[in-house]
Amino acid sequence: MKIALLGGTGDQGFGLALRFCKAGMDVVIGSRSMERALEAAKNVRTELGNNVKVEGLLNEDAAKVADAVFLTVPLTGLIPTLKAIANNVKGKVVVSPVVPLEAEIGGTLRPIRLWSGSVAELVAERLKDSKVVAAFHNVSAEALSDLKKSVECDVIVCSDHEDAKQLVMQLAQKIDGVRALDGGPLSNSRFVEELTALLLFLNKKYFVKSSGVRFTGLGRE
Ligand SMILES: NC(=O)c1ccc[n+]([C@@H]2O[C@H](COP(=O)([O-])OP(=O)(O)OC[C@H]3O[C@@H](n4cnc5c(N)ncnc54)[C@H](OP(=O)(O)O)[C@@H]3O)[C@@H](O)[C@H]2O)c1
């Protein structure tokens, strides 16, 4: 199982790359620039040692060689990224952690309402032949990249493809401290995406960078 993190040169993708490599997974970091992809892969090896399975490739090539493809790019870069990879992700699991925030277009931390309902549903409309999964919206890059600490957060996973959802839940559970929760159909991803706006507000309010969520009363504590 090879995992591609497109835009894995940025905070969220790089944090996930670190955590998946630490868990022994086979990871490929994607970028629009080969140089930046190779540099990020080198930085993972610097953190975790030369034995980890990580490589750097252009986004479209990373999508081609991977089984599960994470869209760790900002909303503003999403459509061009989808266009670049569309032919290489047919039949594959595509994971969207993308949060639609007004801040992306120069506004505040309020969520943007999309006609599709959520970013993940927008991705599913565009990639009709892929199995789109929404996950990892509420885990901060800060928490992912601090390898000394476990990531204390629930990861809510939504998809209309049961097999893909189960796979991404298993991947999430490989990260220390993460509990994966079945969030139901992809249409529920709108709630999960919007929750991140509240977490960012809490970060500011409490002068922290890595607030997360824990759901109680599920009988799985
Ligand atoms: N940061 C967090 O704590 C966090 C938490 C939850 C969810 N998320 C979501 O995860 C995604 C990535 O977040 P991030 O903070 O890592 O973002 P970021 O650092 O702003 O960007 C990640 C990477 O995306 C690529 N990129 C930037 N602009 C692009 C464009 N116009 N077109 C194509 N690619 C572009 C860049 O890689 P190259 O230049 O190398 O191609 C960049 O390094 C976002 O959608 C965000 O909402 C982030």
Side-chain angles (χ1 to χ4, degrees):
M1 158 69 52
K2 203 186 265 274
I3 301 170
L5 298 148
L6 309 188
T9 50
D11 293 343
Q12 188 73 348
F14 187 75
L16 285 168
L18 283 176
R19 292 289 174 168
F20 287 138
C21 281
K22 190 175 176 220
M25 304 295 299
D26 201 346
V27 166
V28 49
I29 293 181
S31 168
R32 292 167 295 175
S33 139
M34 192 63 194
E35 199 182 349
R36 284 197 295 276
L38 291 173
E39 180 70 19
K42 190 172 123 201
N43 291 341
V44 171
R45 282 192 290 273
T46 304
E47 289 264 350
L48 292 169
N50 283 328
N51 291 335
V52 292
K53 290 174 271 182
V54 63
E55 62 184 314
L57 289 174
L58 290 173
N59 282 335
E60 45 272 43
D61 296 329
K64 192 184 279 181
V65 298
D67 306 292
V69 178
F70 283 62
L71 303 168
T72 40
V73 294
L75 180 62
T76 45
L78 183 66
I79 300 297
T81 304
L82 295 181
K83 282 184 181 160
I85 65 164
N87 286 330
N88 296 343
V89 292
K90 288 185 177 159
K92 294 186 185 179
V93 175
V94 175
V95 184
S96 171
V98 180
V99 177
L101 290 178
E102 218 180 59
E104 294 240 6
I105 49 170
T108 66
L109 292 177
R110 288 183 304 200
I112 300 171
R113 294 269 154 78
L114 301 173
W115 286 111
S116 55
S118 66
V119 179
E121 288 165 283
L122 173 68
V123 173
E125 281 172 9
R126 293 270 174 159
L127 301 180
K128 290 199 189 308
D129 298 325
S130 302
K131 297 177 179 185
V132 176
V133 178
F136 295 98
H137 304 86
N138 310 139
V139 183
S140 74
E142 188 84 7
L144 289 168
S145 58
D146 187 354
L147 295 176
K148 292 186 293 303
K149 295 190 190 147
S150 76
V151 178
E152 292 304 323
C153 193
D154 288 346
V155 166
I156 305 154
V157 185
C158 305
S159 180
D160 296 332
H161 299 271
E162 195 56 34
D163 56 338
K165 183 164 61 180
Q166 294 304 325
L167 175 84
V168 174
M169 287 177 71
Q170 283 168 21
L171 290 177
Q173 294 270 150
K174 287 184 184 293
I175 299 175
D176 291 343
V178 164
R179 179 178 64 167
L181 294 176
D182 186 336
L186 201 64
S187 56
N188 278 348
S189 59
R190 62 195 70 180
F191 310 121
V192 189
E193 291 177 2
E194 290 200 358
L195 185 55
T196 306
L198 179 65
L199 291 172
L200 292 171
F201 171 83
L202 292 173
N203 279 351
K204 279 180 88 172
K205 187 81 189 166
Y206 291 94
F207 307 105
V208 295
K209 289 183 173 166
S210 53
S211 62
V213 285
R214 279 290 191 215
F215 288 86
T216 60
L218 298 174
R220 300 185 56 223
E221 284 76 30

